[in-house]
Amino acid sequence: MPQKFQTLQTYFDEVWVKGNVEALGDLLAPDARTRGIMGEMPFDQDDMTELVSMVRELLGPIEVSYPVTVDQDDWLSAVVEIKSHSAINGDPVHVFNHVIARFDGPRMIEIYSGVDSLMLFEQIGLLPDSALAVLLGGTRLS
């Protein structure tokens, strides 16, 4: 298994599935930044620790698979399929994340994450069903 994919898989398995945020120190370079989770605001390891805690409180057990990966030079791109259920209403959660990571040696130094947050929050029960369709119609959620 290629080293970059192994690192990404460990990142999801240890940090997101198991909640082991201490593993971030082994997986991310000290000055690593993640973008895309909250728009353009970059996240460092401390921010990631808080984010992981918040997201894991909203979900049940998490399953992760990688239907597509592309490894080139210092970069790894992956479609990450995430399945769980809502801790709020028990409904199933099934979303995709597209992750592009740049590596500095064995550790990730840049991570760009494009998770479908709207779908995630709909399925968790924090947004109304079909929120995207409602928003596309010009209706404001209030």
Side-chain angles (χ1 to χ4, degrees):
M1 179 178 314
Q3 178 62 43
K4 290 191 293 279
F5 177 72
Q6 179 65 42
T7 300
L8 185 71
Q9 186 177 37
T10 301
Y11 168 76
F12 277 99
D13 288 349
E14 286 297 317
V15 176
W16 291 98
V17 173
K18 296 178 184 175
N20 176 13
V21 293
E22 287 79 26
L24 287 170
D26 295 331
L27 301 167
L28 302 180
D31 54 346
R33 295 290 181 268
T34 300
R35 290 185 187 267
I37 295 171
M38 298 282 290
E40 285 300 309
M41 184 172 72
F43 273 53
D44 61 16
Q45 289 187 35
D46 291 337
D47 299 325
M48 286 298 298
T49 297
E50 290 182 44
L51 179 67
V52 168
S53 175
M54 289 186 283
V55 171
R56 286 180 46 80
E57 286 181 22
L58 296 171
L59 297 172
I62 300 168
E63 297 175 29
V64 179
S65 62
Y66 311 87
V68 178
T69 61
V70 178
D71 186 337
Q72 182 177 354
D73 303 324
D74 292 339
W75 293 90
L76 178 69
S77 177
V79 174
V80 182
E81 186 173 11
I82 302 163
K83 294 181 182 179
S84 185
H85 67 269
S86 169
I88 295 169
N89 59 22
D91 286 351
V93 171
H94 183 204
V95 294
F96 289 90
N97 186 2
H98 183 228
V99 176
I100 302 172
R102 184 172 66 88
F103 285 75
D104 182 13
R107 295 182 185 175
M108 295 181 283
I109 191 161
E110 290 180 78
I111 303 172
Y112 298 90
S113 178
V115 69
D116 187 348
S117 299
L118 191 62
M119 180 73 69
L120 174 66
F121 287 113
E122 275 185 23
Q123 293 176 14
I124 288 173
L126 294 175
L127 282 174
D129 290 339
S130 304
L132 180 59
V134 169
L135 293 168
L136 286 172
T139 301
R140 181 183 304 260
L141 297 177
S142 49

